[in-house]
Amino acid sequence: MACLEQLWEEPDEGIWEVRGPRRHFTHSKVMAWLAVDRAVRLIEAGRAEGPLELWRELRDAIHRQVCERGYDEERNTFTQSYGSAELDASLLQIVTSGFLPPEDKRLVGTVEAVQRELSTQGGFMLRYRTDSQTPGVDGLTGDEGTFVICLAWLIATLATIGRVDEADIHLGVLLGIRSDLGLLAEEWDPYAGRQLGNAPQAFSHVGIIQAVLAVTAARTAGDGQLTAKAVRA
């Protein structure tokens, strides 16, 4: 935590370790908030010790900055980095982190914007937009396949905001691309209908587990509404 206290305001390479300039990636800031929030909760539950008031203040400061600098009010969506117009599938994790209530219009707007701008054939998700001709946000030319874990994140977020039937449809698609051994690679080519990249990829399978748990919990909740607490469980 001492390291996080010192470094959270610095720019970084983001979850995808892009090769472009360092930025204040919104996902990175939310993950910093998440770490502090969980530390505060552990202390409040009597399961850890630490400077409770200091970390509560830090949690609030990170939250306030993300809402002020990582959110595009005109488009009603959080953005890939502060001051950027770009979107990133990692923004979906804001929904399942408990950063804001699931019904918050900023979360719903972010899910809809990411779906609209990053979805491809079959509903599969790009990490972020690429341009085959010029270097993109990651400093590289060329395009790439969709990332399996990004679709899993979408499924969990749809369940979280109450769109359980839609989440269930996407879950069926995701389960349907597994190999005959039930394994998944890192990426999926929705046009050629084949797996790409590292195989088998652990985080693709972790994503499926999280997606199934989210949909199951939403169904169990009865009214299709899933709280952030149920997702985290």
Side-chain angles (χ1 to χ4, degrees), residues 30 38 45 60 66-68 87 178 227:
V30 173
R38 298 310 186 264
D60 292 344
V66 170
C67 291
E68 291 174 353
L87 296 182
R178 292 173 297 171
T227 64

Side-chain angles (χ1 to χ4, degrees), residues 1 4 8 27-37 58 62:
M1 287 296 295
L4 189 151
W8 78 268
H27 173 268
S28 299
K29 305 300 184 187
V30 173
M31 291 301 105
W33 172 89
L34 185 65
V36 181
D37 178 67
L58 176 59
I62 299 173

